[in-house]
Amino acid sequence: MITARSRFVGGIVELETIIGLEVHAQVLTRSKMYCSCSAEYSSAPPNTHTCPVCLGLPGALPVINKAAIETCVKTGVALNCEIASFSKMDRKNYGYPDLPKGYQISQYDLPLCLQGSLTFESEGVDVTAGITRVHIEEDTGRLVHARNETGQEISLVDLNRSGVPLMEIVGDPDLRTPQQAGDYLASLRAILRSIGASTGNMEEGAFRCDANISVRATDGTFAGPKVEIKNMNSFRAVVRALRFEEERQREVLGAGGSLVQETRGWSEATGTTVSQRTKEQAHDYRYFPEPDLPPLTMTPDRLDLIRDTIGELPAARRDRYVAVYEISRADAGQIAYDEALAAYFEGLIGSDADSKRARSSANWLLNDVIGLQRARSLPGEEFPVSADQVRELIDLVESGEMTGRAAKELLPQLALGESVRDAAGRLSLLSMDDQDAIRMAARTAIEAFPAAVEDYRRGKTAAIGRLIGETIRNTGGRAKPDDVRAILVEELAR
């Protein structure tokens, strides 16, 4: 916190930052929210996944997508929300070129899910933020900005996305730092992916965030107006935008200026927020009940069925890894909050792994497999080798048939699906059993490092480590450390 002088506060006060996030997540369904058009819009030619309903043509009547409703309810359960036994759809009226009806079918006063919470880790501590509501609505179309053949700037409308199911997850203003906001979003996205509610891909627009930020005096004497920030397409952008806006508001107040409630856009190029318009209020949207759709009821039996489909959530998975396998909390969290990593890890350890094997597997996954994945620029869900191959690799190391060094050399040379043992044999990386060859390598090391030999013979037994490493290197990483040590001790005793 910092101090700021402002004519609104009337003195030097300590300020704190208040942040609340509104997340829009596209729901994973095959069809749109109110019609049977395909919800897969990004790869289709413009305006080909449309019909009279999602084009907003007169007389077209919507039909509710049951799967989207149940996914929204599932999300509410995962976020500890109260699920409404009765809810309804509402018309939210506003005019934009990518909203052909002139209104959006959404929810207002009776949403599906209310009063939940999300606990996540940020900067080494657990933080709990409230969830105001989770409701279902439809996405808008997309505006594509381009230039025509004369170089004139034009905007084109693609309505493939219009009507795609969309959840709005409104958080309480419980976040206090930009970093907490970034960690909140990462945890929320992990939950949505875990339950199969959304892809969570920000780059594709399937997971979008509007951030509300204000500052207030810690003694309650002043509360600044809320500013909404838009146009952020990554977690990093959210954190950067909030940090900039936090400083901007404090500097304005510190200089005796005034703040206004407004919507600002984030410019990645300049690293600044830019004023766009004054913030709309609820009455500006002229909400009223959607006359073409019936209200929704949720029975206890149906809710129980939805609840049973959720499975283990990322936080519970992390805690299980820590408790059962004694994996560090940091490593367990890195695996558990990534669905692709968690599935890979579960396949790697199998159903009967002990804690030692699980820790070894986590180490190979987080260091070697992910390192190779990044080196090859593979997407997060695509791995360079299979879990079965890594499990076979670890088996060979633990049985002594291959050294750890040889295994690390082998890993990047494995073809996907190739037998690890066959590859190790082809590359001559299986452990060396030729004692004479190891002895020759040991003698070469002894000759190359007389200082280490002298230190060892003077009682500095740790000096043998240098000789062990050099001997293993002389064998191409194939000699087993225990064999090398035993032979070196014999040779040094001569």
Side-chain angles (χ1 to χ4, degrees), residues 309-322:
T309 66
I310 290 178
E312 187 178 43
L313 294 176
R317 185 187 298 145
R318 176 203 60 201
D319 294 344
R320 175 168 63 86
Y321 291 164
V322 172

Side-chain angles (χ1 to χ4, degrees), residues 396-397 399-403 430-433 435 438 468 471-472 475 477-487:
L396 291 175
V397 172
S399 68
E401 295 178 76
M402 184 185 297
T403 66
L430 291 172
S431 293
M432 178 182 289
D433 292 325
Q435 299 296 298
I438 297 174
I468 291 173
T471 302
I472 293 175
T475 65
R478 297 174 59 204
K480 291 180 272 191
D482 289 344
D483 290 348
V484 171
R485 177 182 288 275
I487 289 174

Side-chain angles (χ1 to χ4, degrees), residues 53 74 93 100 144 164 168 171 193 216-217 272 294 298 301 306 322 329 332 360 365 375 378 392 404 460:
V53 174
K74 184 191 294 189
N93 297 272
V144 180
V164 168
E168 182 168 357
R193 286 177 166 175
R216 71 182 179 192
T272 61
M298 177 60 61
D301 289 345
I306 294 173
V322 172
R329 183 179 173 89
S360 174
L365 173 58
L378 297 175
E392 185 182 356
K460 296 181 180 179

Side-chain angles (χ1 to χ4, degrees), residues 184-200:
Y184 169 100
L185 290 174
S187 180
L188 176 59
R189 184 175 71 171
I191 290 173
L192 296 182
R193 286 177 166 175
S194 175
I195 64 176
S198 176
T199 65

Side-chain angles (χ1 to χ4, degrees), residues 61-135:
L61 295 176
V63 177
I64 291 179
N65 185 327
K66 178 183 176 183
I69 296 294
E70 292 184 343
T71 301
C72 184
V73 171
K74 184 191 294 189
T75 300
V77 172
L79 293 175
N80 307 299
C81 290
E82 297 178 8
I83 308 302
S85 59
F86 179 88
S87 62
K88 63 179 176 65
M89 310 305 297
D90 298 279
R91 286 191 183 182
K92 180 181 181 181
N93 297 272
Y94 60 100
Y96 285 117
D98 55 3
L99 191 68
K101 294 194 295 285
Y103 62 87
Q104 179 187 42
I105 303 179
S106 180
Q107 291 190 292
Y108 178 46
D109 56 330
L110 294 175
L112 284 166
C113 317
L114 284 166
Q115 298 177 343
S117 64
L118 173 59
T119 299
F120 60 98
E121 186 174 343
S122 183
E123 299 171 295
V125 298
D126 284 340
V127 179
T128 298
I131 301 293
T132 308
R133 58 190 281 149
V134 182
H135 69 252

Side-chain angles (χ1 to χ4, degrees), residues 327-393:
I327 299 174
S328 72
R329 183 179 173 89
D331 287 351
Q334 186 177 349
I335 297 171
Y337 278 85
D338 186 307
E339 281 302 299
L341 277 183
Y344 193 100
F345 180 68
E346 296 285 351
L348 183 55
I349 63 174
S351 59
D352 57 351
D354 57 21
S355 59
K356 180 181 178 181
R357 180 58 181 261
R359 289 196 302 273
S360 174
S361 299
N363 184 61
W364 275 96
L365 173 58
L366 296 177
N367 292 292
D368 301 276
V369 176
I370 289 183
L372 186 58
Q373 180 189 53
R374 290 172 178 165
R376 295 181 180 176
S377 300
L378 297 175
E381 66 280 0
E382 185 178 333
F383 295 93
V385 290
S386 69
D388 288 341
Q389 286 177 297
V390 179
R391 185 168 61 248
E392 185 182 356
L393 191 73

